[in-house]
Amino acid sequence: MARGKWQQAEQMGFDHAWTYDHLNWRMFREREWFTAVPTMTAAALATTRIRIGVLVASPNLRDPVYLAKDVTALDDISSGRLILGIGSGAPGFDATMTRRTEWSRRERSERFAEYLQLTDMLLTQPVTDFDGRYYVAKQVHSHPLCQQTPRVPLAVAAAGPRGLRLAARHGQYWVTTGDPNRFASAPYEQALPVLRRQVTALEEACAEVGRDPATIRRLLVAGPTVGGVLDSRDAFFDAAGRFAEVGITDLVVQWPRPDEPFEGKVAVLEDVAGDLGRWQS
């Protein structure tokens, strides 16, 4: 069943398709759930054109050395179509199922800075030595490196000043879900002031690290806090246009679930796909 969804997304003409990287997902703990690496492998083999990615790998689950090894393999299997979403991780199931003590917000932030730096190194150089506070890599050989050069694109999820500087320094994409302090979906119009402030902060972070802000794409994941995007074809294009006005370049929506108004929302995706070429031009 999942194979058909990836193929359908490609046939619809979308630019990229994603899976989450979690051990469980909130209310779906009792439902089927596969991890990201085998899912990405299957998606790569089921498609030929669409870019595929994970939103987002984090220190909660993966050592950076093992992550980099998986990423180079996936980039090879997909013939250079992989995007690596990467973030600091959050409290919750992923943070508590495999460790006794949950990391503090400060430790997550510090770990992520080191994690991102090391992952970047592992994906761009044939031999890596790294001795950090949290992570170690001793004579790690990376053969082959990624098909994409200088490495797979990184989509860095960030909201605070330090995270935005990391995104500006390392990312080809910056990822947001909207208001990080909101824990329920709200109409997309309410997200616009937050997104505008976030994009401004990202551009300021780019200036701090000496980067042209036009060289980083801005990806919004709708659904967790930003709702209403798939209510109708007109709602989608209205939302996409408003997001573009505040600086968002890429929009990701969640594939409709069977316990939602499933057929109606898939039909909206099909209607949207039929007009994508006109909107993108």
Side-chain angles (χ1 to χ4, degrees), residues 178-253:
D179 187 345
N181 299 312
R182 178 180 286 278
F183 301 100
S185 187
Y188 62 82
E189 295 91 344
Q190 295 183 20
L192 296 173
V194 172
L195 294 173
R196 184 178 289 107
R197 289 195 297 271
Q198 289 180 333
V199 168
T200 299
L202 174 68
E203 292 174 346
E204 291 171 351
C206 286
E208 287 183 37
V209 303
R211 178 174 182 177
D212 179 357
T215 63
I216 185 168
R217 300 190 67 84
R218 300 89 182 270
L219 186 152
L220 169 64
V221 183
T225 71
V226 180
V229 176
L230 286 184
D231 283 355
S232 68
R233 172 199 166 281
D234 289 344
F236 177 91
F237 285 111
D238 179 65
R242 294 190 188 210
F243 297 150
E245 288 175 359
V246 300
I248 298 298
T249 62
D250 294 73
L251 174 60
V252 174
V253 295

Side-chain angles (χ1 to χ4, degrees), residues 23-240:
L23 293 174
N24 288 123
W25 177 252
R26 298 180 186 176
M27 72 287 291
F28 299 131
R29 296 185 79 180
E30 306 292 330
R31 305 187 191 183
E32 62 182 29
W33 188 273
F34 298 119
T35 56
V37 171
T39 299
M40 288 284 90
T41 304
L45 295 174
T47 57
T48 59
R49 177 201 61 81
I50 196 168
R51 295 187 70 86
I52 58 175
V54 53
L55 288 171
V56 291
S58 79
N60 269 341
L61 301 182
R62 304 188 186 282
D63 180 272
V65 172
Y66 287 97
L67 173 66
K69 288 288 189 181
D70 284 341
V71 164
T72 53
L74 285 167
D75 198 44
D76 184 79
I77 293 167
S78 67
S79 300
R81 292 183 287 127
L82 184 71
I83 305 170
L84 174 59
I86 190 164
S88 63
F93 305 136
D94 294 336
T96 57
M97 284 200 295
T98 61
R99 68 179 64 96
R100 293 184 177 88
T101 304
E102 194 171 335
W103 298 329
S104 66
R105 181 186 294 269
R106 178 176 179 178
E107 182 173 346
R108 284 203 312 273
S109 176
E110 291 174 347
R111 280 181 176 271
F112 181 52
E114 197 171 287
Y115 190 91
L116 187 54
Q117 177 188 359
L118 177 53
T119 300
D120 200 344
M121 293 169 63
L122 290 161
L123 293 174
T124 53
Q125 55 193 39
V127 182
T128 298
D129 279 292
F130 185 87
D131 187 11
R133 178 178 180 183
Y134 300 104
Y135 300 104
V136 173
K138 296 180 179 179
Q139 282 289 296
V140 177
H141 287 245
S142 301
H143 306 290
L145 290 169
C146 300
Q147 282 208 11
Q148 301 177 77
T149 55
R151 52 152 168 70
V152 301
L154 299 184
V156 181
R162 185 175 186 181
L164 289 170
R165 286 193 295 272
L166 290 171
R169 185 172 292 114
H170 296 281
Q172 283 63 58
Y173 296 77
W174 160 68
V175 179
T176 180
T177 57
D179 187 345
N181 299 312
R182 178 180 286 278
F183 301 100
S185 187
Y188 62 82
E189 295 91 344
Q190 295 183 20
L192 296 173
V194 172
L195 294 173
R196 184 178 289 107
R197 289 195 297 271
Q198 289 180 333
V199 168
T200 299
L202 174 68
E203 292 174 346
E204 291 171 351
C206 286
E208 287 183 37
V209 303
R211 178 174 182 177
D212 179 357
T215 63
I216 185 168
R217 300 190 67 84
R218 300 89 182 270
L219 186 152
L220 169 64
V221 183
T225 71
V226 180
V229 176
L230 286 184
D231 283 355
S232 68
R233 172 199 166 281
D234 289 344
F236 177 91
F237 285 111
D238 179 65

